[in-house]
Structure formats: C-alpha cells, structure tokens
Amino acid sequence: MTAIKTVGVAGSGTMGAGIAIVAARAGFKTIVYDTRPEALARARKQTEGFFAKSVERKKLTQEQVDRILADLTATTEAAGLAACDIVIEAVFEDLKVKHGLLEALNRVCPPHTIFASNTSTLSITEIAAGSGREDRFVGTHFCLPAQLMKLVEMSPGLKTSDETFQTAWDFCKAMGQVPVKTKDNPGFILNYFLIPFNNDAIRLVEAGVAAPADIDRAIKTALGYPMGPLELLDLVGLDTHLLVAEALYAATHEPRAAVPALVRRMIAAGRLGRKTGGGFYTYSGNAMFGG
Amino acid sequence: MAFQLIDTGGSRSFPERHPLLTAAAERGEVVVVVIIGARAAEAFRSVGSRERYAAILIELGTECLGTHTGEARGEEGSNVLGFARFRLGTAPPSDLVELVHQPRTPETAISAARKLFEDHGLKVALCGDFPGRIIDRLVRPYYNAALRRLDEGLASADDLDTTLKLGLGYPEGPIQLLERTGLAEHFDITQALYAACGDPAYAPARRARVAKQRQKT
Ligand SMILES: NC(=O)c1ccc[n+]([C@@H]2O[C@H](COP(=O)([O-])OP(=O)(O)OC[C@H]3O[C@@H](n4cnc5c(N)ncnc54)[C@H](O)[C@@H]3O)[C@@H](O)[C@H]2O)c1
C-alpha cells in the first residue's frame, strides 16, 4: 500500500523520462516538469515509441497504454507540480541547480509532499539541506535505462524521518521496482564499487598486464559477468566515466577512485567509446573489432 | 596435437578428470609439454632438450613465471609459458585459462599453447607475468572493499548482493560469492597479492582474516 497517488518528475532528460515511464506504467498520475519545452517534447515522443513497442511485444494492451499516456502530462512551470505527493528530481547534477529547483518546489508543494533526488554523486543530506524540508527528503537512485532496470538505491539523509523513508520505500515497490537501502555515502553501493573496479581494469591495460579483449573475456568466462569492464566503459563513454569518477574521488580520496591518466589521453584523442566509433575497441556500425 | 603431461599431483587447475588430461595419451610426436601439480617447479627443472618443443606449459600458483624461467632486463621470454585455470576458493575450476607470457615469448609458443587449451573446450586470456594475473588482480580489491563496507554498515549483505546482481547483471553478489567459495581462501590469495604489490587495496579485509584464523584453530 502506498499513500502516494500523484507523482512529479523534475527534469525530462535521460533519467527523468525513464522514471516518468516507470511511475506512469505503474498507474500513478505522473507530471513531468522541465524548463525546456523541447526536452518535454522529445521525451514524449520517446515515451510513445517505448509504449508502442510494449503493445507490439504484448506486454501491455493499447487500452492500457492509452490510459497511461493520458495520465502522463507535462509542465514547464514548477507550480505544475503543486498537486504531487512525491517529486523525484532528475535535473542537472549540480548542487546549485538542484537547490534552486527545490526552493521553488518547496514554495508550491503542500507540506506532505516528499522530495526525492536521483543524484548519482552528490550527498542526499547536502541536497536536502537546500530543500526547506530535510525531514521529508530521500535519495532514490535509479539505474540507466530507468524504464528497464528494476534497481533503486534508496538512502535517507541525516535528517530524513523514518516515516518519509518508509512511505518512499513502499511507493518504490508499488512502482514495481526493487529498492535497496544504503547509507548516504558517495557513490551509494553501485558506483562505489563499480567506478574503482573499472579504474582498476583501465590500469591493467595501462600497465600492459593484458589487452582489453583478454581482460573482458577473462572476466566474463571466469565470473559470468554479462559484460567485461572495458566493453562496459566503451558503452558508458569515457567522458561520463571521468565525470563520475572525479566526483567519487573528490568525495572519498580513495586511490582506486582516482582516474588513470590513460582516460584523459583517450578523451583527448577522441576515443570516448562506442559513440565516437572507438574506445578500448574499434567500432563500425554495430560491429566491434579487436574483440 | 600430441603432448606430454607431467602430473606431479595436487593440481588446482585439474583436480578431476578433464578431456585435456585424457587426451595426453594420444600418440604422435610430442609438440607441447604440460606440467601440472604442486611440484611443477621440480618437474620443469628435469625436462631436457627444451628447445625441441613448441611450448612448455607450467601450472602456476600465485608465483610469477619468472621464478621458474629466470629473468633478464625485461627481455626474457622463451617457449616456456605459465598458466592457471581460474578458480575461486573451493569452487570448481572455471573454463578460463590465464596464459602467462613474457616480453619476448615467441608467437609460435603462444599459439601452440592457446590451441591446446582451446581444443579441449577451455577459453584463453593472455596476460603478462604480473602478480594476480588478470582476475585476482582485478577482483580482490573489490571483494575486500565489499567486506569492509559490510562492516561499516553501508548496506546489509543482502542489499549489497542484490545491488550488484540487479545493477550490473552479476550472477552472484560479492558477499554470497565469498561465503560460497571460502573467505579464508580469499584471505590466502589477497594476502599473497598484498605481499607482492604492497597495495593496501589487497590488504585482507577483517572478515577474511577472521575466517582464516578460525580455519587454523
Ligand atoms: N545518466 C545516467 O546514467 C544517470 C544515472 C543515474 C542517475 N543520474 C542522475 O540523474 C540526474 C539527471 O541526469 P540525466 O542524465 O537524466 O541528465 P540530462 O542532462 O539528460 O537531463 C536533465 C534535464 O533536467 C532539465 N533541467 C535542468 N535544470 C532544471 C530545472 N531547474 N528545472 C527543471 N528542469 C531542469 C534539463 O532541461 C534536462 O532536460 C542527475 O542528477 C544524474 O546524476 C544519471
């Protein structure tokens, strides 16, 4: 059971669009807010495409999709989220931007509205500190692509009330997601372990321990991981990896979080990964060479 | 490919019957010599006229290949290669063979070795002569970190495992995996790496140390 009926999503980018699909699909009235109408329009188009495929694959009926899409609306004003019982923010990863947004939302939303943040690298407690409702604030870190990944890392800030956490937890389950509870710790669980692991894999390449294809084959064969670390880095993009790793390192100063020098060299050389046709591997179309 | 198997007993890579072991009986001119078991070093020293083989393969433990062959100013390398089938603690060996070469190991020796393993259903990852080779070098710091974070209450063991399974598609989370394959065994490997590299990331986590101490008593 969840007390939440209407869900707000602030930020209609990669993550916000996915989170809105998750909420709407689960039957919640969902309102997406973005300051840029073009971001809302693009997300709407992608969302309609996503649900059209769900009908094709017989996961949902056309009637269900019509109802979901009717209940999924958009706004370019913060005031458009005034009726929400929870607002999940997925705006730019910038503390000032997030504080500006939350301050505005705090003015328009009723006292019971819970605020949640999808931040990957900022502290929930620090974001909450600028929200005007630190006790009704919680971390809900979805994975990319949110509309397909079930995991949500949930963290209470230092001042989050037990009641808020419980309400948000029940809501997360009501959306059909799988929440895990973690401390408000840099990188939460996933990035805290993944980023240093990927850095270590890059250091293996850097030190000449083995070639990327040998490292990936070894990891997949010996441990059954679906992807090797270097394939995964090529998919994520080395520029994105650098951003997240730098944030993690700044917060923890753990040596394994420090980005190996090879990453900056590859970025300088335009080898960002799949999206530039090459990273640790060379790509042409969908094919991968050097594997 | 005909090859000679020298089994000194107690091999970690081949604790049980495997198609590769039975194939050693095939007749023909011996092209490759495979030495396995706890006393592989001694057996290797007694192999004569080594140049006549395409490759001589020594099963490695945590030691480097250089301890068997000797090293010379970064230019070492011969038809002698090291290998180990990766195995986590008490779990059976995986299908992965880490094949260890040196800077000047000839390509012919590498391909003969690769072919032998691949012909018998194993997968080969080629790596340089570094402590921990590929997998141990990569995963032991991650396992230590998971154990430390469990102690520090980052999340419950179940939530740690669930996160890595759902978030990254790993078949098993780190805590469950270490419990299944042996925390004391993890201690042994990561302690050896810590001694070899001096990197604190390899320093055995408290839970591994406790498990090792309990194993002794
Ligand atoms: N991309 C990922 O893989 C990923 C994964 C997990 C979490 N996250 C986190 O999710 C959040 C969003 O990331 P993203 O990749 O979706 O970003 P994005 O850049 O794709 O989208 C951000 C959107 O927020 C909008 N926006 C910015 N400021 C706003 C404001 N004040 N009010 C309303 N809308 C505003 C922008 O117009 C943009 O459409 C970040 O906190 C990020 O750390 C990202």
Side-chain angles (χ1 to χ4, degrees):
Chain A
M1 259 302 286
T2 169
I4 286 166
K5 305 239 161 356
T6 304
V7 179
V9 178
S12 185
T14 314
M15 292 305 292
I19 295 169
I21 288 177
V22 171
R25 186 175 50 195
F28 292 96
K29 196 168 157 24
T30 306
I31 308 167
V32 188
Y33 163 48
D34 202 296
T35 43
R36 294 185 306 129
E38 64 273 22
L40 291 168
R42 196 182 47 202
R44 184 72 189 188
K45 232 177 133 206
Q46 287 168 346
T47 302
E48 284 169 1
F50 175 83
F51 280 123
K53 271 203 215 112
S54 304
V55 174
E56 241 173 66
R57 292 183 186 153
K58 303 214 188 314
K59 287 186 179 164
L60 294 170
T61 65
Q62 188 59 50
E63 293 73 56
Q64 285 172 315
V65 166
D66 291 344
R67 210 173 323 128
I68 291 168
L69 287 173
D71 273 342
L72 175 57
T73 57
T75 175
T76 52
E77 306 287 336
L81 299 184
C84 296
D85 303 305
I86 190 167
V87 177
I88 305 169
E89 74 77 15
V91 300
F92 299 140
E93 187 74 334
D94 180 317
L95 190 60
K96 277 210 195 96
V97 173
K98 293 196 193 282
H99 279 171
L101 165 82
L102 293 165
E103 209 178 287
L105 289 177
N106 189 41
R107 267 184 266 121
V108 298
C109 291
H112 81 273
T113 307
I114 293 174
F115 289 172
S117 175
N118 187 50
T119 183
S120 295
T121 59
L122 300 169
S123 149
I124 297 304
T125 308
E126 276 184 69
I127 299 173
S131 71
R133 49 181 85 193
E134 293 161 278
D135 55 327
R136 284 152 289 155
F137 200 98
V138 64
T140 50
H141 184 238
F142 288 72
C143 299
L144 180 74
Q147 65 275 22
L148 299 179
M149 301 284 285
K150 291 281 171 216
L151 182 73
V152 181
E153 293 173 275
M154 293 195 52
S155 6
L158 283 182
K159 291 196 176 168
T160 304
S161 74
D162 292 345
E163 192 195 338
T164 297
F165 191 82
Q166 191 59 48
T167 305
W169 181 272
D170 293 343
F171 161 66
C172 189
K173 283 189 166 168
M175 285 194 297
Q177 297 296 102
V178 180
V180 291
K181 186 176 181 183
T182 158
K183 277 190 187 168
D184 176 19
N185 201 70
F188 306 117
I189 301 172
L190 205 57
N191 281 327
Y192 178 78
F193 290 116
L194 179 66
I195 298 296
F197 182 80
N198 285 345
N199 279 337
D200 285 349
I202 298 167
R203 283 187 196 99
L204 249 63
V205 175
E206 213 172 29
V209 173
D214 285 287
I215 295 171
D216 286 341
R217 186 181 320 115
I219 289 285
K220 287 187 285 186
T221 308
L223 303 172
Y225 291 9
M227 272 186 125
L230 302 156
E231 290 173 277
L232 181 61
L233 279 161
D234 270 2
L235 188 66
V236 170
L238 285 181
D239 50 344
T240 304
H241 174 72
L242 178 69
L243 281 181
V244 181
E246 279 192 322
L248 186 63
Y249 183 70
T252 63
H253 282 275
E254 288 180 12
R256 294 177 58 237
V259 185
L262 177 61
V263 171
R264 280 173 222 281
R265 284 204 299 275
M266 288 177 67
I267 291 173
R271 295 188 66 86
L272 303 188
R274 268 177 191 270
K275 61 185 170 194
T276 60
F280 290 101
Y281 298 87
T282 302
Y283 305 88
S284 128
N286 281 329
M288 179 167 91
F289 296 101
Chain B
M1 184 186 348
F3 69 98
Q4 182 192 350
L5 178 75
I6 305 177
D7 186 349
T8 66
S11 166
R12 253 189 80 73
S13 291
F14 297 101
E16 283 168 4
R17 288 177 63 83
H18 184 274
L20 188 131
L21 303 188
T22 31
E26 281 168 26
R27 262 178 270 208
E29 195 198 342
V30 172
V31 184
V32 175
V33 177
V34 182
I35 310 170
I36 62 172
R39 302 172 65 171
E42 282 167 65
F44 170 65
R45 283 196 292 275
S46 64
V47 175
S49 329
R50 291 179 190 164
E51 344 42 79
R52 87 185 140 92
Y53 306 108
I56 300 171
L57 313 178
I58 311 177
E59 181 184 1
L60 299 176
T62 55
E63 83 280 15
C64 283
L65 173 61
T67 58
H68 301 284
T69 61
E71 301 190 332
R73 18 184 323 131
E75 301 199 349
E76 58 275 3
S78 64
N79 59 346
V80 181
L81 288 98
F83 78 93
R85 239 172 116 190
F86 183 76
R87 194 173 166 192
L88 258 181
T90 56
S94 69
D95 281 344
L96 174 75
V97 171
E98 291 174 309
L99 181 64
V100 179
H101 70 105
Q102 290 169 319
R104 296 281 184 269
T105 306
E107 198 46 53
T108 49
I110 294 172
S111 46
R114 187 192 290 279
K115 181 167 174 10
L116 177 71
F117 290 122
E118 288 178 351
D119 281 352
H120 297 98
L122 298 168
K123 293 208 170 127
V124 174
L126 186 66
C127 61
D129 194 14
F130 292 82
R133 300 183 282 272
I134 296 172
I135 305 280
D136 282 331
R137 205 175 164 89
L138 257 183
V139 299
R140 300 300 166 176
Y142 155 55
Y143 294 158
N144 283 324
L147 293 171
R148 283 192 195 110
R149 287 300 169 167
L150 178 61
D151 273 356
E152 293 167 8
L154 175 63
S156 68
D158 280 348
D159 278 356
L160 286 175
D161 286 341
T162 301
T163 301
L164 288 145
K165 283 192 285 185
L166 287 186
L168 296 170
Y170 293 0
E172 215 173 2
I175 308 300
Q176 187 190 12
L177 174 138
L178 285 168
E179 282 182 344
R180 178 174 63 81
T181 62
L183 277 161
E185 284 73 10
H186 165 66
F187 176 92
D188 292 337
I189 301 291
T190 198
Q191 177 64 38
L193 273 165
Y194 185 44
C197 306
D199 181 339
Y202 293 115
R206 189 195 64 83
R207 281 178 188 277
R209 189 173 294 280
V210 166
K212 183 67 185 177
Q213 283 163 345
R214 285 178 59 82
Q215 189 186 47
K216 279 186 201 151
T217 54

